[in-house]
Amino acid sequence: IYPTIKCKSPEPRCKSTLNFNETFSLLIIHGGTNGIHMFNDFWILDLIYFNWCKVELLARIPSNRCGHR
């Protein structure tokens, strides 16, 4: 996956899961909380172009996650 579409950035959040894909220079964010709501979304940040892309999963979507729980 290599995002080429610019879109808005994710809502501010904490306690999300963050993974780094070294091959494509991507940060992948899943879940987290804004203190009120828990998220189950996925976002990719292209570290070369600094573009955000929201990922829409076609398979089973994981439940909301916060603090790696």
Side-chain angles (χ1 to χ4, degrees):
I1 298 174
Y2 194 79
T4 57
I5 302 170
K6 291 183 180 181
C7 48
K8 66 178 187 170
S9 59
E11 288 185 53
R13 61 190 68 202
C14 62
K15 299 183 180 180
S16 57
T17 299
L18 179 67
N19 293 286
F20 175 62
N21 180 304
E22 185 174 5
T23 303
F24 296 108
S25 296
L26 303 173
L27 286 179
I28 303 161
I29 297 173
H30 173 238
T33 181
N34 63 5
I36 299 169
H37 301 287
M38 287 178 49
F39 301 105
N40 70 335
D41 53 355
F42 284 85
W43 289 83
I44 293 176
L45 176 61
D46 180 326
L47 295 174
I48 295 171
Y49 299 103
F50 295 100
N51 294 333
W52 283 102
C53 185
K54 186 173 183 181
V55 179
E56 299 294 337
L57 298 179
L58 300 176
R60 193 184 102 185
I61 299 172
S63 60
N64 299 3
R65 303 291 166 99
C66 174
H68 300 276
R69 288 184 243 162

mmCIF file of all heavy atoms in Angstrom, residues 18-51:
data_model
loop_
_atom_site.group_PDB
_atom_site.id
_atom_site.type_symbol
_atom_site.label_atom_id
_atom_site.label_comp_id
_atom_site.label_asym_id
_atom_site.label_seq_id
_atom_site.Cartn_x
_atom_site.Cartn_y
_atom_site.Cartn_z
ATOM 1 N N LEU A 18 0.727 2.585 17.012
ATOM 2 C CA LEU A 18 1.495 3.192 15.928
ATOM 3 C C LEU A 18 2.525 2.182 15.430
ATOM 4 O O LEU A 18 3.284 1.616 16.216
ATOM 5 C CB LEU A 18 2.198 4.449 16.441
ATOM 6 C CG LEU A 18 3.070 5.199 15.461
ATOM 7 C CD1 LEU A 18 2.218 5.822 14.362
ATOM 8 C CD2 LEU A 18 3.854 6.275 16.186
ATOM 9 N N ASN A 19 2.533 1.944 14.120
ATOM 10 C CA ASN A 19 3.506 1.044 13.494
ATOM 11 C C ASN A 19 4.230 1.799 12.397
ATOM 12 O O ASN A 19 3.659 2.665 11.739
ATOM 13 C CB ASN A 19 2.805 -0.177 12.896
ATOM 14 C CG ASN A 19 2.213 -1.045 13.971
ATOM 15 O OD1 ASN A 19 2.921 -1.739 14.674
ATOM 16 N ND2 ASN A 19 0.913 -0.980 14.123
ATOM 17 N N PHE A 20 5.499 1.424 12.177
ATOM 18 C CA PHE A 20 6.323 2.058 11.154
ATOM 19 C C PHE A 20 6.648 1.045 10.081
ATOM 20 O O PHE A 20 7.124 -0.052 10.376
ATOM 21 C CB PHE A 20 7.608 2.604 11.782
ATOM 22 C CG PHE A 20 8.575 3.164 10.783
ATOM 23 C CD1 PHE A 20 8.219 4.248 9.989
ATOM 24 C CD2 PHE A 20 9.829 2.623 10.640
ATOM 25 C CE1 PHE A 20 9.111 4.771 9.070
ATOM 26 C CE2 PHE A 20 10.735 3.139 9.731
ATOM 27 C CZ PHE A 20 10.371 4.221 8.939
ATOM 28 N N ASN A 21 6.392 1.391 8.814
ATOM 29 C CA ASN A 21 6.765 0.562 7.680
ATOM 30 C C ASN A 21 8.002 1.197 7.060
ATOM 31 O O ASN A 21 7.906 2.224 6.376
ATOM 32 C CB ASN A 21 5.620 0.492 6.663
ATOM 33 C CG ASN A 21 5.967 -0.357 5.468
ATOM 34 O OD1 ASN A 21 6.961 -0.114 4.798
ATOM 35 N ND2 ASN A 21 5.145 -1.341 5.207
ATOM 36 N N GLU A 22 9.144 0.585 7.324
ATOM 37 C CA GLU A 22 10.418 1.147 6.883
ATOM 38 C C GLU A 22 10.573 1.110 5.368
ATOM 39 O O GLU A 22 11.128 2.031 4.770
ATOM 40 C CB GLU A 22 11.572 0.383 7.543
ATOM 41 C CG GLU A 22 12.923 0.960 7.261
ATOM 42 C CD GLU A 22 14.032 0.267 8.037
ATOM 43 O OE1 GLU A 22 13.762 -0.729 8.733
ATOM 44 O OE2 GLU A 22 15.168 0.729 7.928
ATOM 45 N N THR A 23 10.057 0.069 4.731
ATOM 46 C CA THR A 23 10.189 -0.080 3.284
ATOM 47 C C THR A 23 9.572 1.092 2.535
ATOM 48 O O THR A 23 10.155 1.618 1.588
ATOM 49 C CB THR A 23 9.523 -1.387 2.813
ATOM 50 O OG1 THR A 23 10.114 -2.476 3.516
ATOM 51 C CG2 THR A 23 9.683 -1.587 1.316
ATOM 52 N N PHE A 24 8.376 1.527 2.949
ATOM 53 C CA PHE A 24 7.663 2.590 2.255
ATOM 54 C C PHE A 24 7.640 3.916 3.028
ATOM 55 O O PHE A 24 6.976 4.859 2.617
ATOM 56 C CB PHE A 24 6.224 2.149 1.963
ATOM 57 C CG PHE A 24 6.148 0.985 1.032
ATOM 58 C CD1 PHE A 24 5.786 -0.269 1.500
ATOM 59 C CD2 PHE A 24 6.454 1.135 -0.310
ATOM 60 C CE1 PHE A 24 5.710 -1.351 0.643
ATOM 61 C CE2 PHE A 24 6.382 0.059 -1.180
ATOM 62 C CZ PHE A 24 6.015 -1.184 -0.703
ATOM 63 N N SER A 25 8.333 3.986 4.158
ATOM 64 C CA SER A 25 8.367 5.194 5.006
ATOM 65 C C SER A 25 6.963 5.653 5.383
ATOM 66 O O SER A 25 6.567 6.796 5.134
ATOM 67 C CB SER A 25 9.134 6.323 4.316
ATOM 68 O OG SER A 25 10.471 5.966 4.140
ATOM 69 N N LEU A 26 6.205 4.738 5.990
ATOM 70 C CA LEU A 26 4.827 5.019 6.388
ATOM 71 C C LEU A 26 4.639 4.803 7.878
ATOM 72 O O LEU A 26 5.216 3.877 8.451
ATOM 73 C CB LEU A 26 3.855 4.079 5.653
ATOM 74 C CG LEU A 26 3.876 4.082 4.143
ATOM 75 C CD1 LEU A 26 2.970 2.980 3.608
ATOM 76 C CD2 LEU A 26 3.456 5.435 3.602
ATOM 77 N N LEU A 27 3.838 5.651 8.506
ATOM 78 C CA LEU A 27 3.361 5.411 9.864
ATOM 79 C C LEU A 27 1.911 4.958 9.748
ATOM 80 O O LEU A 27 1.112 5.574 9.031
ATOM 81 C CB LEU A 27 3.419 6.684 10.707
ATOM 82 C CG LEU A 27 4.794 7.140 11.154
ATOM 83 C CD1 LEU A 27 4.666 8.434 11.962
ATOM 84 C CD2 LEU A 27 5.481 6.082 11.983
ATOM 85 N N ILE A 28 1.565 3.900 10.464
ATOM 86 C CA ILE A 28 0.211 3.354 10.440
ATOM 87 C C ILE A 28 -0.359 3.485 11.842
ATOM 88 O O ILE A 28 0.219 2.981 12.810
ATOM 89 C CB ILE A 28 0.216 1.885 9.989
ATOM 90 C CG1 ILE A 28 0.889 1.794 8.618
ATOM 91 C CG2 ILE A 28 -1.202 1.321 9.959
ATOM 92 C CD1 ILE A 28 1.374 0.426 8.255
ATOM 93 N N ILE A 29 -1.484 4.177 11.962
ATOM 94 C CA ILE A 29 -2.111 4.442 13.256
ATOM 95 C C ILE A 29 -3.447 3.716 13.324
ATOM 96 O O ILE A 29 -4.227 3.746 12.370
ATOM 97 C CB ILE A 29 -2.343 5.956 13.448
ATOM 98 C CG1 ILE A 29 -1.006 6.686 13.470
ATOM 99 C CG2 ILE A 29 -3.130 6.229 14.721
ATOM 100 C CD1 ILE A 29 -1.131 8.184 13.493
ATOM 101 N N HIS A 30 -3.685 3.066 14.457
ATOM 102 C CA HIS A 30 -4.975 2.392 14.673
ATOM 103 C C HIS A 30 -5.516 2.760 16.047
ATOM 104 O O HIS A 30 -4.806 2.712 17.040
ATOM 105 C CB HIS A 30 -4.821 0.877 14.581
ATOM 106 C CG HIS A 30 -6.070 0.143 14.951
ATOM 107 N ND1 HIS A 30 -6.110 -0.783 15.955
ATOM 108 C CD2 HIS A 30 -7.332 0.224 14.472
ATOM 109 C CE1 HIS A 30 -7.337 -1.259 16.071
ATOM 110 N NE2 HIS A 30 -8.096 -0.657 15.174
ATOM 111 N N GLY A 31 -6.803 3.121 16.068
ATOM 112 C CA GLY A 31 -7.502 3.326 17.333
ATOM 113 C C GLY A 31 -7.053 4.533 18.119
ATOM 114 O O GLY A 31 -6.573 5.512 17.583
ATOM 115 N N GLY A 32 -7.251 4.425 19.432
ATOM 116 C CA GLY A 32 -6.934 5.508 20.346
ATOM 117 C C GLY A 32 -8.199 6.119 20.916
ATOM 118 O O GLY A 32 -9.306 5.640 20.694
ATOM 119 N N THR A 33 -8.019 7.183 21.659
ATOM 120 C CA THR A 33 -9.155 7.871 22.279
ATOM 121 C C THR A 33 -8.913 9.372 22.289
ATOM 122 O O THR A 33 -7.764 9.817 22.301
ATOM 123 C CB THR A 33 -9.405 7.378 23.719
ATOM 124 O OG1 THR A 33 -10.535 8.065 24.261
ATOM 125 C CG2 THR A 33 -8.215 7.590 24.624
ATOM 126 N N ASN A 34 -10.000 10.129 22.280
ATOM 127 C CA ASN A 34 -9.894 11.577 22.451
ATOM 128 C C ASN A 34 -10.364 11.975 23.845
ATOM 129 O O ASN A 34 -10.621 13.126 24.124
ATOM 130 C CB ASN A 34 -10.692 12.323 21.377
ATOM 131 C CG ASN A 34 -12.176 12.051 21.441
ATOM 132 O OD1 ASN A 34 -12.669 11.368 22.344
ATOM 133 N ND2 ASN A 34 -12.900 12.562 20.473
ATOM 134 N N GLY A 35 -10.504 10.982 24.727
ATOM 135 C CA GLY A 35 -10.968 11.221 26.087
ATOM 136 C C GLY A 35 -12.461 11.012 26.240
ATOM 137 O O GLY A 35 -12.961 10.879 27.342
ATOM 138 N N ILE A 36 -13.178 10.999 25.113
ATOM 139 C CA ILE A 36 -14.617 10.776 25.124
ATOM 140 C C ILE A 36 -14.977 9.531 24.317
ATOM 141 O O ILE A 36 -15.722 8.679 24.769
ATOM 142 C CB ILE A 36 -15.367 12.007 24.561
ATOM 143 C CG1 ILE A 36 -15.082 13.237 25.429
ATOM 144 C CG2 ILE A 36 -16.868 11.741 24.467
ATOM 145 C CD1 ILE A 36 -15.565 14.541 24.817
ATOM 146 N N HIS A 37 -14.432 9.439 23.124
ATOM 147 C CA HIS A 37 -14.728 8.322 22.214
ATOM 148 C C HIS A 37 -13.487 7.477 21.976
ATOM 149 O O HIS A 37 -12.380 7.994 21.919
ATOM 150 C CB HIS A 37 -15.221 8.845 20.863
ATOM 151 C CG HIS A 37 -16.441 9.689 20.952
ATOM 152 N ND1 HIS A 37 -17.691 9.177 21.218
ATOM 153 C CD2 HIS A 37 -16.610 11.026 20.821
ATOM 154 C CE1 HIS A 37 -18.571 10.152 21.241
ATOM 155 N NE2 HIS A 37 -17.933 11.292 21.013
ATOM 156 N N MET A 38 -13.696 6.159 21.818
ATOM 157 C CA MET A 38 -12.629 5.261 21.387
ATOM 158 C C MET A 38 -12.788 5.043 19.886
ATOM 159 O O MET A 38 -13.897 4.918 19.393
ATOM 160 C CB MET A 38 -12.696 3.936 22.136
ATOM 161 C CG MET A 38 -12.257 4.054 23.572
ATOM 162 S SD MET A 38 -12.357 2.522 24.527
ATOM 163 C CE MET A 38 -11.571 1.343 23.487
ATOM 164 N N PHE A 39 -11.659 5.004 19.177
ATOM 165 C CA PHE A 39 -11.678 4.868 17.724
ATOM 166 C C PHE A 39 -11.270 3.457 17.298
ATOM 167 O O PHE A 39 -10.518 2.779 17.997
ATOM 168 C CB PHE A 39 -10.698 5.857 17.088
ATOM 169 C CG PHE A 39 -10.986 7.293 17.417
ATOM 170 C CD1 PHE A 39 -10.205 7.983 18.322
ATOM 171 C CD2 PHE A 39 -12.048 7.952 16.818
ATOM 172 C CE1 PHE A 39 -10.457 9.309 18.614
ATOM 173 C CE2 PHE A 39 -12.319 9.281 17.112
ATOM 174 C CZ PHE A 39 -11.519 9.967 18.008
ATOM 175 N N ASN A 40 -11.756 3.045 16.127
ATOM 176 C CA ASN A 40 -11.290 1.796 15.527
ATOM 177 C C ASN A 40 -10.875 2.033 14.084
ATOM 178 O O ASN A 40 -10.909 1.146 13.258
ATOM 179 C CB ASN A 40 -12.356 0.690 15.619
ATOM 180 C CG ASN A 40 -13.544 0.953 14.718
ATOM 181 O OD1 ASN A 40 -13.828 2.089 14.384
ATOM 182 N ND2 ASN A 40 -14.228 -0.091 14.333
ATOM 183 N N ASP A 41 -10.449 3.268 13.791
ATOM 184 C CA ASP A 41 -10.062 3.607 12.427
ATOM 185 C C ASP A 41 -8.572 3.387 12.202
ATOM 186 O O ASP A 41 -7.798 3.215 13.138
ATOM 187 C CB ASP A 41 -10.450 5.050 12.106
ATOM 188 C CG ASP A 41 -9.922 6.050 13.127
ATOM 189 O OD1 ASP A 41 -9.331 5.629 14.140
ATOM 190 O OD2 ASP A 41 -10.121 7.254 12.917
ATOM 191 N N PHE A 42 -8.183 3.366 10.927
ATOM 192 C CA PHE A 42 -6.795 3.220 10.513
ATOM 193 C C PHE A 42 -6.414 4.416 9.655
ATOM 194 O O PHE A 42 -7.171 4.812 8.765
ATOM 195 C CB PHE A 42 -6.591 1.942 9.681
ATOM 196 C CG PHE A 42 -6.572 0.695 10.480
ATOM 197 C CD1 PHE A 42 -7.750 0.054 10.808
ATOM 198 C CD2 PHE A 42 -5.382 0.138 10.902
ATOM 199 C CE1 PHE A 42 -7.746 -1.112 11.544
ATOM 200 C CE2 PHE A 42 -5.363 -1.030 11.634
ATOM 201 C CZ PHE A 42 -6.544 -1.651 11.958
ATOM 202 N N TRP A 43 -5.239 4.968 9.911
ATOM 203 C CA TRP A 43 -4.712 6.081 9.132
ATOM 204 C C TRP A 43 -3.267 5.776 8.765
ATOM 205 O O TRP A 43 -2.545 5.127 9.524
ATOM 206 C CB TRP A 43 -4.740 7.369 9.944
ATOM 207 C CG TRP A 43 -6.104 7.916 10.167
ATOM 208 C CD1 TRP A 43 -6.993 7.542 11.134
ATOM 209 C CD2 TRP A 43 -6.755 8.916 9.404
ATOM 210 N NE1 TRP A 43 -8.148 8.255 11.019
ATOM 211 C CE2 TRP A 43 -8.032 9.110 9.966
ATOM 212 C CE3 TRP A 43 -6.386 9.681 8.290
ATOM 213 C CZ2 TRP A 43 -8.937 10.035 9.452
ATOM 214 C CZ3 TRP A 43 -7.289 10.605 7.797
ATOM 215 C CH2 TRP A 43 -8.541 10.775 8.371
ATOM 216 N N ILE A 44 -2.850 6.269 7.607
ATOM 217 C CA ILE A 44 -1.465 6.133 7.166
ATOM 218 C C ILE A 44 -0.902 7.529 6.937
ATOM 219 O O ILE A 44 -1.549 8.364 6.294
ATOM 220 C CB ILE A 44 -1.363 5.307 5.863
ATOM 221 C CG1 ILE A 44 -1.771 3.856 6.129
ATOM 222 C CG2 ILE A 44 0.056 5.367 5.302
ATOM 223 C CD1 ILE A 44 -1.803 3.000 4.880
ATOM 224 N N LEU A 45 0.296 7.768 7.450
ATOM 225 C CA LEU A 45 1.010 9.014 7.188
ATOM 226 C C LEU A 45 2.223 8.685 6.331
ATOM 227 O O LEU A 45 3.104 7.933 6.740
ATOM 228 C CB LEU A 45 1.451 9.695 8.488
ATOM 229 C CG LEU A 45 2.294 10.960 8.314
ATOM 230 C CD1 LEU A 45 1.537 12.044 7.547
ATOM 231 C CD2 LEU A 45 2.773 11.472 9.663
ATOM 232 N N ASP A 46 2.248 9.227 5.129
ATOM 233 C CA ASP A 46 3.390 9.088 4.226
ATOM 234 C C ASP A 46 4.472 10.049 4.708
ATOM 235 O O ASP A 46 4.280 11.272 4.691
ATOM 236 C CB ASP A 46 2.935 9.444 2.813
ATOM 237 C CG ASP A 46 4.048 9.339 1.792
ATOM 238 O OD1 ASP A 46 5.206 9.626 2.130
ATOM 239 O OD2 ASP A 46 3.733 8.982 0.647
ATOM 240 N N LEU A 47 5.589 9.513 5.174
ATOM 241 C CA LEU A 47 6.646 10.337 5.753
ATOM 242 C C LEU A 47 7.528 11.012 4.706
ATOM 243 O O LEU A 47 8.364 11.848 5.057
ATOM 244 C CB LEU A 47 7.501 9.504 6.706
ATOM 245 C CG LEU A 47 6.756 9.000 7.941
ATOM 246 C CD1 LEU A 47 7.651 8.070 8.755
ATOM 247 C CD2 LEU A 47 6.283 10.162 8.788
ATOM 248 N N ILE A 48 7.345 10.669 3.446
ATOM 249 C CA ILE A 48 8.091 11.347 2.379
ATOM 250 C C ILE A 48 7.361 12.622 1.964
ATOM 251 O O ILE A 48 7.942 13.686 1.863
ATOM 252 C CB ILE A 48 8.294 10.410 1.179
ATOM 253 C CG1 ILE A 48 9.185 9.232 1.601
ATOM 254 C CG2 ILE A 48 8.918 11.163 0.000
ATOM 255 C CD1 ILE A 48 9.296 8.133 0.581
ATOM 256 N N TYR A 49 6.047 12.503 1.751
ATOM 257 C CA TYR A 49 5.242 13.638 1.292
ATOM 258 C C TYR A 49 4.390 14.266 2.388
ATOM 259 O O TYR A 49 3.741 15.269 2.162
ATOM 260 C CB TYR A 49 4.338 13.206 0.138
ATOM 261 C CG TYR A 49 5.118 12.720 -1.053
ATOM 262 C CD1 TYR A 49 5.223 11.367 -1.322
ATOM 263 C CD2 TYR A 49 5.766 13.614 -1.890
ATOM 264 C CE1 TYR A 49 5.955 10.919 -2.408
ATOM 265 C CE2 TYR A 49 6.503 13.174 -2.969
ATOM 266 C CZ TYR A 49 6.590 11.819 -3.225
ATOM 267 O OH TYR A 49 7.322 11.378 -4.296
ATOM 268 N N PHE A 50 4.375 13.664 3.578
ATOM 269 C CA PHE A 50 3.575 14.122 4.717
ATOM 270 C C PHE A 50 2.094 14.270 4.362
ATOM 271 O O PHE A 50 1.459 15.272 4.664
ATOM 272 C CB PHE A 50 4.144 15.416 5.320
ATOM 273 C CG PHE A 50 5.496 15.199 5.921
ATOM 274 C CD1 PHE A 50 6.634 15.557 5.237
ATOM 275 C CD2 PHE A 50 5.627 14.586 7.156
ATOM 276 C CE1 PHE A 50 7.887 15.319 5.779
ATOM 277 C CE2 PHE A 50 6.869 14.346 7.704
ATOM 278 C CZ PHE A 50 8.000 14.709 7.013
ATOM 279 N N ASN A 51 1.571 13.240 3.702
ATOM 280 C CA ASN A 51 0.159 13.154 3.353
ATOM 281 C C ASN A 51 -0.511 12.112 4.238
ATOM 282 O O ASN A 51 0.034 11.024 4.432
ATOM 283 C CB ASN A 51 -0.037 12.725 1.891
ATOM 284 C CG ASN A 51 0.456 13.746 0.923
ATOM 285 O OD1 ASN A 51 0.486 14.932 1.213
ATOM 286 N ND2 ASN A 51 0.867 13.292 -0.242
#
